[in-house]
Amino acid sequence: MKKSLILCALLLTCSIFTFKAQAQLASQVADIFPKGTNVYGNIAYAGDTLKKHRLDIYLPPVKKLSYPVVIWVHGGAWMSNDKYADMGYMVNTLKDLINNGYAVASIDYRWSTTAPFPAQVQDCNAAIEYIAKNAAQYNIDDGRMALMGFSAGGHLANLIGLSNNNNQRDFYYKGQKPDFKISLVIDFYGPSDLTTLKGNDSTDPKNPITLLLGGTVAGKLKLAKEASPLTWLDKDDPPFLIIQGEKDESVNPEQAKTLSDRLTRLHIPNDLIIVPGAPHFGVMFDAENIRKEILEYLGKYLQ
């Protein structure tokens, strides 16, 4: 009897802690997500205690048997930010997603300052694998998954979307390729080729590309090509919606144009939106015409 009481107390304590953690998380995004959005916060997707191996799932207030999901991959030059990044200037986009019945899953991944490539893509693949394997628990339809990435997160979304139908074992934990399919990639100013990315010739040891690769592009050319989404492009890849700022000071617009051109040559559906006068990121990317295009792509490829 005493053991049963102790067990009940422990379970109650865990429940209270989980509730408080989720309530605190909800308050962090209360001004972003619509009222009634259901939040599952800080899920350990890799089965360990690493802070960067966490994801959040946001479900629409309107109850459904299952929701298509948009997996949010944050930017930060592979060396900063977290799963809340980019949300602050994409408020209307997030509201549109939830209000139109899409779940949002935002994932953390290890920074390059902690672990160089391919740690970041391994983490993202592990997070997506968790979502797919546990889809029923969260009322998610694992047959309708899209990636939406920003800057470095755009690079990772592009890389996963294009390499998913290959068997590049370095991109997965223990070299085991998980069984999931990406239906659509929405790329916000993500690099597509590290060998031609602006700043790739820098010898500064703190340069973002150098930190990602664990060395310069010249010294790590094989790895730089492996880490470049264009390397993995083939005719069986998913559709892409690519959004790029005309005045991007960090990711040269040719990266987006080349990706779109290569997809078009392979007859893969894609559209490229060049935002006039736009820098690397900001509220200009939350514009109504871009949101409309996003919803049209999601409606076509995830419904």
Side-chain angles (χ1 to χ4, degrees):
M1 180 68 177
K2 187 175 181 181
K3 288 183 178 179
S4 297
L5 289 172
I6 292 172
L7 179 60
C8 288
L10 286 171
L11 290 172
L12 179 60
T13 301
C14 289
S15 298
I16 292 171
F17 176 78
T18 302
F19 173 78
K20 286 183 177 178
Q22 290 184 6
Q24 182 180 3
L25 179 62
S27 69
Q28 290 178 335
V29 294
D31 294 333
I32 297 176
F33 287 90
K35 185 178 180 181
T37 300
N38 297 295
V39 182
Y40 295 88
N42 289 319
I43 301 165
Y45 63 75
D48 58 28
T49 59
L50 285 183
K51 184 179 178 182
K52 286 300 177 183
H53 284 170
R54 298 288 183 268
L55 63 83
D56 299 335
I57 294 175
Y58 305 88
L59 299 181
V62 178
K63 302 298 181 184
K64 289 186 178 180
L65 292 177
S66 66
Y67 306 95
V69 62
V70 176
I71 299 168
W72 186 278
V73 191
H74 74 80
W78 306 284
M79 56 188 285
S80 65
N81 290 338
D82 58 24
K83 51 189 165 64
Y84 308 111
D86 305 293
M87 290 184 175
Y89 63 87
M90 297 296 289
V91 171
N92 292 312
T93 298
L94 285 164
K95 288 180 178 178
D96 279 356
L97 294 176
I98 295 295
N99 287 333
N100 283 277
Y102 296 95
V104 175
S106 184
I107 63 179
D108 266 333
Y109 52 87
R110 284 172 291 171
W111 293 346
S112 59
T113 51
T114 301
F117 187 86
Q120 295 70 35
V121 71
Q122 288 175 352
D123 290 354
C124 291
N125 272 317
I128 300 167
E129 180 182 15
Y130 175 90
I131 293 166
K133 283 187 174 180
N134 296 277
Q137 180 180 345
Y138 302 104
N139 289 3
I140 285 173
D141 183 350
D142 64 336
R144 296 186 292 166
M145 299 197 300
L147 293 174
M148 182 181 289
F150 301 81
S151 189
H155 161 262
L156 294 170
N158 295 345
L159 187 60
I160 293 164
L162 295 176
S163 67
N164 183 242
N165 57 349
N166 296 274
N167 190 18
Q168 181 62 15
R169 295 187 177 184
D170 290 347
F171 289 1
Y172 311 102
Y173 283 130
K174 300 179 181 178
Q176 298 176 348
K177 184 178 181 297
D179 184 20
F180 63 75
K181 181 181 178 181
I182 301 301
S183 299
L184 172 66
V185 177
I186 302 173
D187 163 31
F188 281 87
Y189 36 86
S192 61
D193 185 356
L194 298 188
T195 68
T196 60
L197 179 61
K198 183 178 180 180
N200 72 338
D201 56 350
S202 173
T203 56
D204 181 356
K206 295 183 179 180
N207 176 271
I209 310 172
T210 300
L211 285 171
L212 177 69
L213 299 176
T216 63
V217 169
K220 297 276 187 176
L221 188 57
K222 182 176 182 295
L223 185 62
K225 291 180 178 179
E226 182 179 301
S228 295
L230 286 180
T231 298
W232 307 101
L233 197 150
D234 61 56
K235 63 181 179 62
D236 298 319
D237 289 325
F240 269 69
L241 177 59
I242 307 164
I243 302 100
Q244 173 69 46
E246 180 190 25
K247 302 295 184 181
D248 194 324
E249 71 284 359
S250 298
V251 176
N252 35 311
E254 288 73 24
Q255 297 276 314
K257 294 173 183 176
T258 300
L259 174 58
S260 179
D261 287 345
R262 293 278 299 276
L263 289 166
T264 300
R265 286 184 209 170
L266 291 172
H267 306 289
I268 297 170
N270 76 95
D271 272 299
L272 171 60
I273 301 173
I274 300 292
V275 183
H280 185 55
F281 65 91
V283 294
M284 296 175 76
F285 295 96
D286 199 32
E288 183 178 0
N289 67 304
I290 298 174
R291 303 199 314 268
K292 181 180 178 182
E293 193 77 12
I294 289 171
L295 290 176
E296 286 182 0
Y297 258 75
L298 289 171
K300 185 173 184 178
Y301 296 107
L302 260 68
Q303 298 295 348

